[in-house]
Amino acid sequence: MSPQAARAHMSIGEVLALLQGEFPDVSISKIRFLEGEGLIEPERSPSGYRKFTYADVERLRYILSEQRDRYLPLRVIKDRLEAADREERPVARPRALPADPTPEVRLSREELLAAAEIDEETLAELEDYGLLSAVARHYDAEALAVARSVGALAAFGLRARHLRAVKAAAEREAGLVEQAVAPLLRRRAPGAIDRADETAREISGLLLDLHASLLRSGVREILGR
């Protein structure tokens, strides 16, 4: 444990310094937002300054890990924290899921072909149908994820040209998310961006659940079940 963490109390700036190595996107406004949502309750000094304990930092690590690794909305994370509080047990940090490609992925065309195990013809199709594209002649994590998925679907006879409807549906769903968060992004109040980010995550998760349920229902009809 670092000297800062070992102290009885830490300021919000010290907490931020402890977390940013693992969670580069965390900010003071994000921590304040989580407090406002009731997920953390740091003590206050007589003058009103927040005083964080090491337990508060671990609670923040749990929240941020669940958001990043499992894409859980805050309402679900809050329910789990409250259940742990009722049982008077510390929250256990989630074991990271098998990692998708990280945002730092930057592949050449040849590297993408090798990593996704697809051929040049398939990659050309993906680009022709707008399923992925290079940025500055390199491919990022999302491009690799798309290429791998399409490569796996090819074993069932599904090619890029068959998947245009999937892309169109995803774009329409992204439009719904944009419509919902636009009013939040226009606000200038503190924490507005964090609230918009959380709202986008929650709506995205709900849309994914809905999409999966409708797909399962459709497949059952096809199979006559």
Side-chain angles (χ1 to χ4, degrees):
M1 188 186 305
S2 70
Q4 284 180 323
R7 289 172 49 190
H9 293 98
M10 292 167 273
S11 69
I12 193 168
E14 290 170 329
V15 170
L16 181 65
L18 286 174
L19 294 173
Q20 278 188 320
E22 187 175 356
F23 306 98
D25 294 334
V26 72
S27 62
I28 286 178
S29 65
K30 173 74 171 182
I31 295 172
R32 288 173 175 163
F33 171 73
L34 293 173
E35 180 186 3
E37 293 296 303
L39 280 90
I40 55 171
E41 297 181 8
E43 298 176 30
R44 293 274 184 163
S45 69
S47 54
Y49 290 104
R50 295 172 178 83
K51 301 192 300 179
F52 293 85
T53 64
Y54 184 68
D56 291 325
V57 175
E58 286 304 293
R59 193 176 180 96
L60 280 166
R61 282 199 173 103
Y62 172 83
I63 296 165
L64 297 171
S65 295
E66 290 282 51
Q67 280 194 307
R68 180 193 63 192
D69 299 336
R70 300 175 187 274
Y71 218 66
L72 291 181
L74 285 184
R75 59 182 175 77
V76 174
I77 298 173
K78 187 176 182 181
D79 287 345
R80 294 184 177 184
L81 287 170
E82 289 175 348
D85 290 342
R86 285 194 298 271
E87 297 172 13
E88 297 184 349
R89 58 177 170 83
V91 291
R93 290 191 61 191
R95 186 176 180 180
L97 297 176
D100 287 331
T102 63
E104 290 75 24
V105 169
R106 188 170 183 269
L107 302 174
S108 67
R109 192 175 189 84
E110 293 73 20
E111 289 169 335
L112 178 66
L113 292 172
E117 299 181 344
I118 60 174
D119 56 29
E120 177 63 42
E121 180 184 359
T122 300
L123 178 53
E125 272 193 343
L126 289 171
E127 292 177 318
D128 289 344
Y129 289 106
L131 292 171
L132 63 77
S133 60
V135 177
R137 302 180 66 180
H138 285 84
Y139 299 86
D140 63 10
E142 295 301 333
L144 177 55
V146 168
R148 282 176 168 165
S149 295
V150 173
L153 287 168
F156 300 94
L158 296 174
R159 305 286 297 182
R161 64 182 178 275
H162 302 125
L163 302 174
R164 286 177 294 177
V166 177
K167 182 179 188 306
E171 289 174 344
R172 288 194 295 270
E173 290 170 3
L176 292 175
V177 175
E178 181 182 16
Q179 179 181 332
V181 302
L184 296 173
L185 292 173
R186 287 195 292 267
R187 295 178 186 173
R188 298 184 179 274
I193 293 177
D194 291 319
R195 189 174 296 278
D197 177 70
E198 171 57 25
T199 299
R201 286 173 178 270
E202 182 158 4
I203 295 173
S204 297
L206 292 170
L207 287 173
L208 286 170
D209 290 343
L210 175 60
H211 183 91
S213 296
L214 292 174
L215 180 59
R216 286 193 296 268
S217 178
V219 170
R220 282 198 300 270
E221 289 183 13
I222 292 170
L223 298 176
R225 295 179 178 177

